[in-house]
Amino acid sequence: WLGVADALLLRVPTLRGLNHRRSFCCRLFAQKEPSFVFSLSLDNGADVRVSLTSEEDLSREVARIVSENPDIKATRENLTTILRDQLMKMRAEPLLGPKLDPGQRLNDLIATLPIGNTGVVLDVAQSLLGSSAGHGLFLRKEGLDSPEITMYRGQPLCGYAGRPSETPRAEGGRTIVIYFTSLDADVFFENDLQPLGRIIASKGNDLEVVGHRIQRDINGFPIAIEPDEKYTGQYRYFIPDCDEGQDLPLNLMRVGSFANDLAITSNQFGDICINHPSVDDSSPRNEREDSKGESEEYSRASANSNILALSFRMELDSEHKEGEPRRLIPLPPILTFTKNVRFTTTTPIEVGCHYGYQYWEELLPENESRAFNYLELAKIILKAFLWAQMTSKKPVRRYEKESPHLK
């Protein structure tokens, strides 16, 4: 998740400030991980106590187990795999999100798609966020009798159909900017999610990333990457296919654009605002927001509400000509899980995708000012009402003093 290139989904395309926001997201989500303690039964009949916090602890625990149990048959590789799988399962959170009440069914169900042989099913139906949200993505366990299922961080869910473009979509539409600022950004290459820097380093000194400049050390090893602002080719933008009215067959590679951002909701006035599931909305606004920027608020809300993010796919340019540098070009992105998730129910649960603060920032400031105006208007009305009450009582009091027999 820290390396996922959140695909920079924009409503009003702009490259302003993206570096700052991406580095901020990495700081925000780099939180201390909990420790997990469990018992592992070995093939020699012994039970050992294992304590893991991250994958960095695997080699230490494996070495300890082998030294304390020299007669076991399991290899270090097997033990590492077993401990890694156990760690990932224990890290998994139960799938949470908007879901149907008992007895209800999904409205306007337009697709039901099994996720390979995982036992998880993806439904596309009317969003539970309201009619204005259009369709949404729902996940559930396939059968009542099937065991608990875990989907892991970085695992792909579905595709995000669309096309590359030299220009962004007109204002108000979705546009994905193909924009890398870090070699640590995770991308799919040859069916494997891996850091972009590793791909570049493994393919030789002549490899380029279309639309970007790569900085290398004296040995040709990549040390930095940045967008080439002069690039005007077709791989700068990606235009999602979000027209629900198109009569196209829906499959797993086409339904990603139906995902909603659950970090965004609407207030009582119908304006969009950041969803604060853990904050009492009755508390004064300045207590919630004065110490935090709106971007941080969104990122925290997204971490709580969304489990999906956009990840790029890359491939070597098949039209490479001899004598020219080889190029990595982007393919339509896919939605990947941002955390380990457990599926325990067959009830469809709506899942959200991290759009990014840059997608909503053109709308949120307007809503904040409008919300402020509503509050000021309410204050004015209340003051006028109190003033009217006070002024209407004054003549009554004077009249009562003059004529005490009149009540």
Side-chain angles (χ1 to χ4, degrees), residues 384-398:
F385 174 76
L386 294 175
W387 182 83
Q389 290 290 97
M390 293 174 63
T391 55
S392 64
K393 291 180 180 179
K394 287 180 180 179
V396 174
R397 291 194 185 100
R398 290 197 299 271

Side-chain angles (χ1 to χ4, degrees), residues 106-144:
L106 292 173
N107 292 327
D108 196 16
L109 179 64
I110 60 176
T112 296
L113 306 167
I115 310 300
N117 57 358
T118 62
V120 175
V121 176
L122 171 65
D123 294 316
V124 183
Q126 174 62 50
S127 172
L128 298 181
L129 303 182
S131 58
S132 60
H135 288 84
L137 298 185
F138 296 79
L139 292 176
R140 58 183 170 87
K141 197 172 65 166
E142 187 171 14
L144 286 171

Side-chain angles (χ1 to χ4, degrees), residues 23-40:
S23 61
F24 169 79
C25 288
C26 288
R27 294 197 306 274
L28 179 66
F29 289 102
Q31 301 171 354
K32 185 177 180 181
E33 299 185 58
S35 296
F36 300 97
V37 179
F38 57 93
S39 179
L40 179 66

Side-chain angles (χ1 to χ4, degrees), residues 301-348:
S302 182
N304 289 331
S305 305
N306 295 320
I307 65 168
L308 302 172
L310 286 164
S311 299
F312 284 112
R313 291 186 297 154
M314 307 293 287
E315 71 171 4
L316 290 172
D317 188 357
S318 59
E319 299 181 358
H320 169 255
K321 297 179 181 179
E322 187 175 353
E324 295 182 355
R326 292 176 301 160
R327 302 192 309 166
L328 273 179
I329 60 175
L331 298 174
I334 58 178
L335 295 189
T336 57
F337 287 91
T338 61
K339 59 185 72 175
N340 302 335
V341 180
R342 295 198 314 270
F343 293 81
T344 60
T345 178
T346 56
T347 301

